[in-house]
Amino acid sequence: MSAGITHLVDLWKEGYSNHIENYKPYQAVEQLKHIAALFIPGEFFYFILNMHNLELEYVHPGVQQFIDVDPKTASIENLLSSIDPDDVETVKAKELLLKEFMENVVPPTELPSYKMLYMYRIKDRFGKYRTMLLQVNVLSVSEKGTIEHILSVHTDISFMGVQKTDTVSFVHLNGGKSFYDVNINSDKLFFEEDQDAEDNLDKQLTKREIEIIQLSSRGYSVHKIAYNLNITESTVRTHRKNMLKKTQYSSMRKLVTKCLMEGII
């Protein structure tokens, strides 16, 4: 295991495991597996991590599409080993940002209401590089305010043609304060709501426009989008032109990337 991965594991042990006194298994694994199977599209895998000892309580079989590991016996070190070596330091910086957010920005009881997102690259079992979208949710917090279990979902978004960013987003799932595109390269880590609610993409875009973005993110052509939405190709082109104009993005690829990091798609 590389030194970078060892440092990442040590970060988790110092930041989380050393503060949890007793092991406590997550109680709703089967329910979570059922829900995830219904709603997560494309190539992905996810796992439930017990922060007491960094043991994996469940690993989705989809992990075998990415790395050569048995999901029933996999360790966190196995899963981290697929990270592109050139990305390890960036991932560590993003995890430090997550740690700062969870310790100092919002109260522990509020953490399960957030989805935290960032991108990273892996080299899969076939030697292919993939851009992955990581989405993290805190599943349970102890009475003392320490994080006990997290859900970590990893989705291959390479086919979208998006560019990996050096930012992390913290999206409130119930309409509370969200923090978008917090940059890991800032001299000082800080969190502020730098967008008015009216500036958020989900406020700017109509339901139809979001549908077009979702289909565009799957690589659909204008013709295929029009067919799926039962509208004309001219209407699709007009919607795309209007979206780029009002959001001030220069391409659909950049708009799709932003929508991913805001949790819209």
Side-chain angles (χ1 to χ4, degrees), residues 236-259:
V236 174
R237 292 191 180 94
T238 298
H239 276 303
R240 290 174 61 154
K241 181 180 178 180
N242 290 340
M243 283 188 285
L244 294 177
K245 182 179 180 179
K246 69 182 176 182
T247 61
Q248 299 184 347
Y249 282 92
S250 59
S251 69
M252 285 300 296
R253 183 176 71 171
K254 292 180 179 179
L255 181 56
V256 167
T257 300
K258 181 65 174 177
C259 287

Side-chain angles (χ1 to χ4, degrees), residues 31-264:
Q31 295 94 318
L32 186 59
K33 286 160 60 177
H34 175 70
I35 293 171
L38 292 175
F39 294 108
I40 302 178
E43 289 193 325
F44 70 94
F45 70 92
Y46 63 91
F47 58 82
I48 298 171
L49 183 65
N50 191 308
M51 302 308 291
H52 174 261
N53 51 11
L54 299 186
E55 283 191 3
L56 298 167
E57 296 197 8
Y58 176 76
V59 180
H60 183 265
V63 70
Q64 294 179 304
Q65 300 176 90
F66 300 93
I67 59 177
D68 186 16
V69 64
D70 182 348
K72 295 181 180 179
T73 59
S75 66
I76 190 63
E77 290 84 0
N78 295 147
L79 302 186
L80 294 174
S81 66
S82 64
I83 298 174
D84 178 5
D86 292 336
D87 252 18
V88 170
E89 287 303 311
T90 302
V91 169
K92 183 178 177 181
K94 291 176 178 177
E95 288 294 331
L96 282 169
L97 198 58
L98 261 65
K99 181 173 178 288
E100 171 72 11
F101 178 81
M102 292 189 283
E103 288 183 351
N104 299 314
V105 178
V106 298
T109 54
E110 190 72 8
L111 287 175
S113 296
Y114 277 91
K115 177 170 67 172
M116 295 161 271
L117 310 91
Y118 68 75
M119 298 181 194
Y120 71 100
R121 288 209 317 163
I122 66 167
K123 189 174 183 180
D124 70 14
R125 61 187 299 179
F126 307 107
K128 177 183 176 182
Y129 285 97
R130 305 194 192 203
T131 299
M132 307 293 291
L133 176 67
L134 170 67
Q135 301 177 80
V136 175
N137 176 247
V138 174
L139 294 175
S140 64
V141 178
S142 72
E143 293 180 357
K144 293 184 177 180
T146 52
I147 298 169
E148 294 180 321
H149 308 96
I150 66 166
L151 171 66
S152 185
V153 183
H154 304 249
T155 305
D156 182 5
I157 57 172
S158 304
F159 67 95
M160 294 183 181
V162 299
Q163 295 178 313
K164 182 179 69 68
T165 69
D166 286 335
T167 62
V168 183
S169 290
F170 304 82
V171 181
H172 199 287
L173 301 174
N174 300 314
K177 180 183 287 188
S178 294
F179 306 86
Y180 301 114
D181 296 327
V182 182
N183 200 309
I184 62 171
N185 296 316
S186 301
D187 293 333
K188 181 180 179 181
L189 298 182
F190 65 96
F191 294 82
E192 62 180 2
E193 195 175 23
D194 57 359
Q195 292 178 305
D196 292 330
E198 293 301 320
D199 292 331
N200 296 344
L201 284 181
D202 62 342
K203 303 297 183 182
Q204 297 183 61
L205 299 169
T206 66
K207 180 180 178 181
R208 175 64 83 194
E209 289 170 341
I210 292 175
E211 289 174 338
I212 290 173
I213 292 172
Q214 288 173 329
L215 294 176
S216 296
S217 74
R218 300 176 192 173
Y220 282 23
S221 65
V222 170
H223 174 76
K224 195 170 183 179
I225 292 173
Y227 177 80
N228 276 266
L229 297 180
N230 195 28
I231 57 179
T232 67
E233 293 181 26
S234 175
T235 300
V236 174
R237 292 191 180 94
T238 298
H239 276 303
R240 290 174 61 154
K241 181 180 178 180
N242 290 340
M243 283 188 285
L244 294 177
K245 182 179 180 179
K246 69 182 176 182
T247 61
Q248 299 184 347
Y249 282 92
S250 59
S251 69
M252 285 300 296
R253 183 176 71 171
K254 292 180 179 179
L255 181 56
V256 167
T257 300
K258 181 65 174 177
C259 287
L260 280 171
M261 293 306 292
E262 288 199 12
I264 296 173

Side-chain angles (χ1 to χ4, degrees), residues 2-20:
S2 72
I5 297 301
T6 300
H7 292 159
L8 187 54
V9 173
D10 289 342
L11 168 67
W12 287 347
K13 288 180 179 178
E14 179 182 349
Y16 308 109
S17 303
N18 293 345
H19 303 283
I20 304 176

